[in-house]
Amino acid sequence: MKDIIDGFLTFQKSAFPERVKLFKELATQQSPRALFISCSDSRLVPELVTQREPGDLFVIRNAGNIVPSYGPEPGGVSASVEYAVAALQVADIVICGHSDCGAMTAIATCKCLDHMPAVASWLRYADSARVVNEAREHQDPLAKVAAMVRENVIAQLANIQTHPSVRLALEERRVTLHGWIYDIGSGRIDAFDGRSGTFVPLAENPDVYAVSRKARRVA
């Protein structure tokens, strides 16, 4: 805990004064450009990976970067998505998975979670990804986990589109959905290309998207 407190003191003495104008502007308002939904894993820090300043991202983090389908009993994720899209009017939504994800590893390896019933219940929101992943052949356990990470991002992209605020924003062509996989060891990001249905290197395909607000509607 001492390290955390020391970090705050360093922020207060050094980082805050360097950004005092920014923090004064943010003191009474925010206008983030994107909603970033990622795993709670300590190794993935959205603002660090994207090199964004405070106020740039509206962030939701949870085990497995999961977005439950919209239902009659909205939880914290649903409320946060709705606020970001309907109130803050974000233009982009990123759902970001990552390598070596503990949640996806537990699902892919059928790890017993009886001692963590809340986690087990939460991961049921990735069932559609699990079923698809189980139906495919994999070279080895590591490949199966990596595939589960990808399938989960695709599944959560589908789930978020059941939210009324997101559905309306897509209909009005004012939001774009992105699906990313961050590799911890290399710093690489692969992005889901909704047109080809594959993941491609983001560095080489910066304009790729999963679902675009600019895409022509299908009759």
Side-chain angles (χ1 to χ4, degrees), residues 20-206:
V20 65
K21 181 180 178 182
L22 172 62
F23 285 117
K24 283 186 177 180
E25 292 174 352
L26 294 174
T28 57
Q29 61 180 348
Q30 64 168 322
S31 183
R33 305 173 186 177
L35 166 61
F36 199 102
I37 303 170
S38 71
C39 187
S40 296
D41 194 294
S42 62
R43 298 166 293 177
L44 171 55
V45 182
E47 292 86 353
L48 177 63
V49 170
T50 60
Q51 290 292 280
R52 295 295 86 205
E53 288 281 6
D56 287 341
L57 298 178
F58 191 81
V59 179
I60 298 173
R61 301 183 67 174
N62 60 60
N65 44 273
I66 283 172
V67 182
S69 298
Y70 190 80
E73 297 180 4
V77 174
S78 297
S80 296
V81 167
E82 185 173 80
Y83 184 75
V85 176
L88 298 178
Q89 299 279 301
V90 295
D92 294 276
I93 299 174
V94 179
I95 297 179
C96 185
H98 66 91
S99 61
D100 193 44
C101 178
M104 295 305 109
T105 298
I107 295 173
T109 60
C110 299
K111 183 176 181 180
C112 179
L113 295 174
D114 289 348
H115 62 303
M116 292 189 289
V119 173
S121 178
W122 175 252
L123 294 184
R124 291 297 303 274
Y125 290 114
D127 273 356
S128 61
R130 176 184 58 79
V131 170
V132 171
N133 204 47
E134 287 292 335
R136 295 178 176 163
E137 295 185 2
H138 306 281
Q139 184 176 355
D140 53 46
L142 288 178
K144 186 176 182 181
V145 171
M148 183 64 207
V149 171
R150 294 192 296 271
E151 290 301 330
N152 182 56
V153 167
I154 295 171
Q156 304 315 318
L157 284 167
N159 283 354
I160 201 169
Q161 291 181 70
T162 67
H163 290 241
S165 59
V166 176
R167 180 69 182 85
L168 177 60
L170 286 170
E171 179 69 16
E172 295 177 346
R173 305 186 188 186
R174 54 182 173 82
V175 74
T176 298
L177 306 185
H178 308 266
W180 291 0
I181 304 294
Y182 170 65
D183 184 76
I184 296 170
S186 68
R188 167 183 171 137
I189 288 179
D190 287 336
F192 184 68
D193 183 350
R195 294 164 293 187
S196 67
T198 61
F199 282 87
V200 298
L202 182 62
E204 300 167 15
N205 302 272

